[in-house]
Amino acid sequence: MVPAGIDLRSDTVTRPGPGMRAAMAQAEVGDDVYRDDPTVIELEERLAALAGMEAGLFMPTGTQSNLVGLMTHCQRGDEYIVGQNAHTYQYEAGGAAILGSIQPQPIENAEDGTLPIGKVRAAIKPRDIHFARSRLIALENTIGGKILPLPYLEEIRTLAREAGLALHLDGARVFNAAVALERPLDVVCSGFDSVSICLSKGLGTPAGSVLCGSREFIEEARRWRKMVGGGMRQVGILAAAGLYALDHNVARLALDHEHARLLAAGLAEIGALKVGVPQTNVLFVEIPPGDVAALAGHLAQRGIITSLRPSTRLVTHLDVDDAAIGQTVEAFRSFYAV
Ligand SMILES: *Cc1c(COP(=O)(O)O)cnc(C)c1O
């Protein structure tokens, strides 16, 4: 396979290599709506155990997994408290509100990605006919590549328990958090009632997310998944990619984090750029707005694919190696070294 270039737009762009494809080809399958697919069941059980939860439910996308999670927690007219920058609020086409009749109560994220405890507390509505019913707090980890601190998670868990609210984690990149913290996944997921984990980001599969929670929660979620069209059939072919990823692509996330740090260090030497400090595999770089168009062209000519903006996100992943980092730094340098 010839890589199309150095694609730093997202960690969703990875393509399955020969090992993953072989695992997919050999997968034992069955009709998963009948619960007959052993490979799906194995993936759900394995991922749930890793997250410290009782059960899992395989879905095609993280968007659907979050939606089903929210719809399982919240009834029509309920409300969920969520970050202004959260994927579920910003980037899922308003699904919770439109399909779930769940009112979002957005809170501005702090610089570190957390929802400040005082603001969350203040947003919880009293039980009164004037208000939507506060039901759930949804967090995201990592968010913008930032890791929610473990002591903060303890605080939010206490608040949720005191207020009688459920806690959902959009853990699309929660493995990145666990690997960066050098802690097991269940520690990072501890105290959440549900967590949605993407296999198609840093873990490198073509598709798939797993929603984890209690057995009872997942049985209820299964109905909502059917309703939104996520009941798939011989989908062990995709689940096999997920199992392969759990075996081969988790520990190596540390390498993606190292690559983001190397990229940051290289770009920081260019005076015109304002370069962030990556905590995981996501690096933000501020580019003088007047340079964006010309720089995007310059990079593209050198095979470097970006979504260049004044505030650009560069994401490292499975298909970005040491040499690619070096080439990227060199391409930025050559633009500014005139
Ligand atoms: C990618 C992502 C999702 C889900 O995305 P899909 O493309 O629908 O799989 C959800 N939350 C976060 C934080 C994500 O990055």
Side-chain angles (χ1 to χ4, degrees):
M1 268 183 306
V2 182
I6 301 167
D7 194 339
L8 299 167
R9 291 171 300 172
S10 176
D11 47 8
T12 55
V13 301
T14 57
R15 276 154 304 175
M20 185 177 281
R21 284 170 188 253
M24 294 171 77
Q26 286 152 19
E28 214 185 306
V29 298
D31 186 327
D32 184 50
V33 174
Y34 287 106
R35 305 235 62 206
D36 282 348
D37 192 306
T39 311
V40 171
I41 292 171
E42 186 185 344
L43 175 67
E44 289 172 342
E45 287 179 351
R46 229 176 113 185
L47 205 46
L50 285 171
M53 308 238 167
E54 286 176 0
L57 189 62
F58 186 70
M59 283 182 252
T61 64
T63 297
Q64 187 176 83
S65 175
N66 277 324
L67 175 65
V68 165
L70 296 178
M71 287 175 83
T72 307
H73 283 296
C74 300
Q75 304 302 309
R76 181 166 183 250
D78 287 351
E79 177 177 86
Y80 84 112
I81 296 169
V82 62
Q84 189 79 41
N85 301 337
H87 199 279
T88 53
Y89 180 61
Q90 285 251 359
Y91 303 112
E92 296 179 9
I98 293 164
L99 303 173
S101 298
I102 304 162
Q103 165 162 283
Q105 165 62 69
I107 305 254
E108 205 162 317
N109 294 85
E111 193 55 38
D112 65 358
T114 60
L115 302 183
I117 297 287
K119 285 192 188 172
V120 174
R121 187 178 281 119
I124 300 171
K125 312 287 186 296
R127 297 287 146 155
D128 176 307
I129 59 160
H130 293 87
F131 302 123
R133 287 174 298 247
S134 303
R135 189 70 74 193
L136 174 74
I137 302 169
L139 299 180
E140 184 175 316
N141 196 14
T142 62
I143 178 159
K146 290 175 182 165
I147 303 164
L148 300 182
L150 292 177
Y152 168 78
L153 295 179
E154 179 66 47
E155 280 183 71
I156 200 90
R157 182 163 65 206
T158 304
L159 173 62
R161 196 166 45 226
E162 284 170 4
L165 302 184
L167 259 188
H168 172 75
L169 181 65
D170 178 354
R173 297 192 177 88
V174 70
F175 272 111
N176 292 88
V179 167
L181 290 168
E182 300 183 343
R183 301 300 293 273
L185 191 72
D186 63 345
V187 169
V188 183
C189 297
S190 163
F192 286 90
D193 298 291
S194 55
V195 51
S196 167
I197 302 172
C198 280
L199 299 160
S200 59
K201 300 274 165 82
L203 298 189
T205 76
S209 280
V210 175
L211 180 67
C212 299
S214 70
R215 224 171 283 292
E216 195 188 6
F217 179 87
I218 291 301
E219 276 322 300
E220 189 61 22
R222 195 178 295 283
R223 160 183 290 276
W224 293 112
R225 182 185 72 169
K226 193 77 185 85
M227 185 185 290
V228 299
M232 298 184 288
R233 305 297 177 172
Q234 288 71 26
V235 76
I237 287 180
L238 284 177
L243 287 168
Y244 181 90
L246 292 181
D247 288 334
H248 297 91
N249 294 347
V250 174
R252 67 152 305 287
L253 291 172
L255 190 61
D256 296 342
H257 302 168
E258 179 59 23
H259 284 150
R261 281 192 291 271
L262 282 173
L263 186 57
L267 297 184
E269 289 172 17
I270 301 169
L273 305 176
K274 197 165 157 235
V275 180
V277 180
Q279 293 181 16
T280 56
N281 67 327
V282 181
L283 170 65
F284 280 91
V285 180
E286 289 182 32
I287 294 161
D291 293 349
V292 168
L295 177 57
H298 182 88
L299 294 175
Q301 275 171 9
R302 286 153 184 79
I304 297 160
I305 307 163
T306 57
S307 307
L308 224 61
R309 311 189 168 90
S311 178
T312 291
R313 183 184 83 154
L314 301 174
V315 186
T316 56
H317 52 74
L318 203 51
D319 293 348
V320 173
D321 58 12
D322 285 342
I325 296 296
Q327 279 170 257
T328 304
V329 170
E330 193 42 49
F332 273 88
R333 269 200 199 130
S334 62
F335 180 80
Y336 282 105
V338 196

